[in-house]
Amino acid sequence: MKRTKSGSPIRFAAMIKATKVLNSLSILFFMAILLLVYAYLPIMVDLNVEGLKDFHKQTFFYYIVGGFVVVNVILKLITSLGAKHLPKEPQAWLSAIIFVINFNITLIVGFIGVWNNPAHIEPESFAYLNYMGPVLIVIWVVGLIFLFFKKK
């Protein structure tokens, strides 16, 4: 197996490419879920948060898209600037945070869609969607810590 100058295998360059593909797919998946949720939302979207009024479904759509874009731009800047000085393994793992966060946001949007359609779907049976994202983030953090402290 070929090695780079730093001694790490070229497979980590392939992992970075794979995470870029996953990041692109997560954006497409997010848009597909958001459009599906938007199609079935009532006119006024209830987020069930104290002190927060209901949103019109168009306002909800634009807030979610805007927030998604802002989060992705910030994550892209952090991963591109922060990963330059890291070894290849953590650099590849760090680039996967974009996919993890996008997947988490997609699950939240999906649950909001379920929450606002109680006549068709029982929200209680989809409560696990709220836990999948944080569990995935914890797994990602544990993996990053493992990469930094593993023996060379």
Side-chain angles (χ1 to χ4, degrees):
M1 179 178 287
K2 292 185 179 180
R3 299 213 175 248
T4 60
K5 290 181 183 177
S6 65
S8 57
I10 290 184
R11 65 182 174 171
F12 297 112
M15 184 177 169
I16 291 173
K17 288 179 184 178
T19 57
K20 288 180 181 180
V21 169
L22 282 175
N23 294 343
S24 299
L25 289 175
S26 70
I27 292 170
L28 292 174
F29 184 61
F30 167 78
M31 288 306 297
I33 295 299
L34 180 61
L35 291 174
L36 180 68
V37 165
Y38 179 76
Y40 289 102
L41 281 176
I43 297 297
M44 297 307 286
V45 179
D46 176 22
L47 297 181
N48 199 26
V49 177
E50 224 174 278
L52 191 64
K53 61 180 180 153
D54 293 349
F55 288 101
H56 191 275
K57 74 190 248 181
Q58 288 178 343
T59 305
F60 170 76
F61 177 82
Y62 289 119
Y63 278 161
I64 294 294
V65 169
F68 186 80
V69 168
V70 167
V71 166
N72 273 276
V73 167
I74 290 171
L75 286 173
K76 184 66 175 167
L77 286 173
I78 290 171
T79 57
S80 64
L81 297 175
K84 285 183 181 178
H85 305 292
L86 293 175
K88 291 291 184 190
E89 291 176 359
Q91 185 178 7
W93 193 258
L94 186 64
S95 66
I97 190 64
I98 297 171
F99 167 76
V100 172
I101 298 297
N102 286 350
F103 191 71
N104 189 19
I105 294 170
T106 303
L107 291 173
I108 292 168
V109 167
F111 187 74
I112 290 171
V114 169
W115 183 264
N116 281 279
N117 286 307
H120 299 97
I121 304 170
E122 293 181 27
E124 294 81 24
S125 32
F126 288 92
Y128 67 91
L129 293 176
N130 292 322
Y131 302 108
M132 283 177 61
V135 166
L136 193 58
I137 290 171
V138 167
I139 291 170
W140 180 86
V141 168
V142 168
L144 187 64
I145 292 170
F146 172 77
L147 284 176
F148 277 117
F149 291 113
K150 79 175 190 172
K151 293 183 181 180
K152 293 185 178 190

